Amino acid sequence: VVARANGGANAVRHETAMKGEGKFIVGGNWKCNGTTESIAQLISDLNAGTITKDLEVVCAPPFVYLAQTQASLGPPFEIAAQNVWTGAGGAYTGEISADMIKDLGINWTITGHSERRALCGESNEIVAEKTAYALSLGLKVIVCIGESLEERQNGSTLAVCCAQLKAVAEVVSDWSNIVIAYEPIWAIGTGVVATPEQAQETHAGIRKWLAAAVSPEVASKMRIQYGGSVNAGNCDVLAQQDDIDGFLVGGASLQ
């Protein structure tokens, strides 16, 4: 996927003016997968590849493999945590604070992935709190938003996504270190992908909301990734959409 997006991103850069500013950004969310051996092989494969200067790639291994990945994965790859706690450390068994991530020298984290919202009960407000605290320590944050199949079918896609972003807007004033990842829940890991037109329509709607609710400047600069069964077969056509500024890739990032 990185290789195909690499070429697709370059094509978009030369042919259209993407609405988000900055490099086309691809995130690889390795989720709860891997062993020491398989992670080492994946890192070796990534290091052997070639990334153009116009493409930013951020890899998010499981917490227990962050140090291994950091020690072995070379530039220009960057590393992210998959999640952080809402504040500093303390009596929060099993949690990882942004302070710890920062102490490791890691500069990115993901917040609000739909699997954490659904499986761990993370509300819009909790995701916003995590995002704000991570930003306060200087981390860059990929904030995930997205709707369920039922919400898509009843026409509330943008209402759901904008409500998720509204919670962030209530506690964050500086959006310069945020990347938004739109991931329709019904497309994550299912093999079903939103059509390019559906993805573009939603991304454009998100940008329109940002312009009205936050500021036109934030809207024009914001990079909005698409996630949801992105793979080498569909990334080129998705990358050609005006408001798609990157991908957040799940299972395909392990291949």
Side-chain angles (χ1 to χ4, degrees):
V1 173
V2 169
R4 294 294 295 276
N6 192 12
N10 282 331
V12 173
R13 279 291 171 193
H14 287 95
E15 296 173 9
T16 66
M18 292 170 61
K19 294 204 172 86
E21 293 186 3
K23 297 178 182 179
F24 195 90
I25 180 168
V26 176
N29 178 14
W30 300 355
K31 303 191 178 186
C32 186
N33 292 295
T35 63
T36 300
E37 182 179 0
S38 68
I39 294 294
Q41 182 61 58
L42 179 56
I43 291 170
S44 176
D45 292 343
L46 289 171
N47 284 335
T50 301
I51 302 297
T52 72
K53 63 181 180 180
D54 285 331
L55 184 65
E56 186 172 7
V57 183
V58 182
C59 298
F63 284 122
V64 294
Y65 301 122
L66 279 173
Q68 177 187 2
T69 304
Q70 185 183 37
S72 303
L73 188 61
F77 295 101
E78 300 179 71
I79 302 172
Q82 295 181 12
N83 179 51
V84 289
W85 181 235
T86 56
Y92 309 111
T93 301
E95 293 294 340
I96 308 293
S97 72
D99 308 71
M100 295 172 178
I101 300 303
K102 188 74 174 177
D103 185 51
L104 285 177
I106 292 168
N107 297 318
W108 286 86
T109 187
I110 298 171
T111 60
H113 193 278
S114 64
E115 289 160 359
R116 293 205 58 86
R117 291 179 187 265
L119 301 176
C120 303
E122 293 189 3
S123 66
N124 293 344
E125 291 71 26
I126 288 175
V127 172
E129 190 176 358
K130 290 183 173 190
T131 301
Y133 187 73
L135 290 171
S136 75
L137 294 183
L139 294 180
K140 300 175 184 178
V141 182
I142 297 173
V143 180
C144 299
I145 61 173
E147 85 285 5
S148 66
L149 180 58
E150 180 182 1
E151 290 162 341
R152 160 66 63 173
Q153 291 175 335
N154 68 25
S156 59
T157 293
L158 281 175
V160 170
C161 292
C162 293
Q164 292 168 344
L165 289 175
K166 181 176 182 291
V168 176
E170 289 174 349
V171 295
V172 168
S173 58
D174 183 356
W175 291 67
S176 59
N177 282 332
I178 290 179
V179 171
I180 295 171
Y182 166 61
E183 295 193 298
I185 299 170
W186 47 273
I188 297 175
T190 63
V192 178
V193 64
T195 66
E197 294 77 17
Q198 286 175 319
Q200 166 58 25
E201 180 183 28
T202 305
H203 279 231
I206 291 167
R207 203 178 301 281
K208 181 178 180 181
W209 181 88
L210 286 170
V214 182
S215 77
E217 180 181 10
V218 167
S220 68
K221 292 182 177 180
M222 181 60 62
R223 290 184 291 175
I224 306 174
Q225 297 174 303
Y226 173 78
S229 295
V230 176
N231 57 53
N234 58 37
C235 65
D236 284 347
V237 65
L238 288 166
Q240 293 170 14
Q241 305 305 307
D242 285 349
D243 286 285
I244 294 181
D245 306 308
F247 300 126
L248 184 58
V249 185
S253 67
L254 298 168
Q255 302 173 4

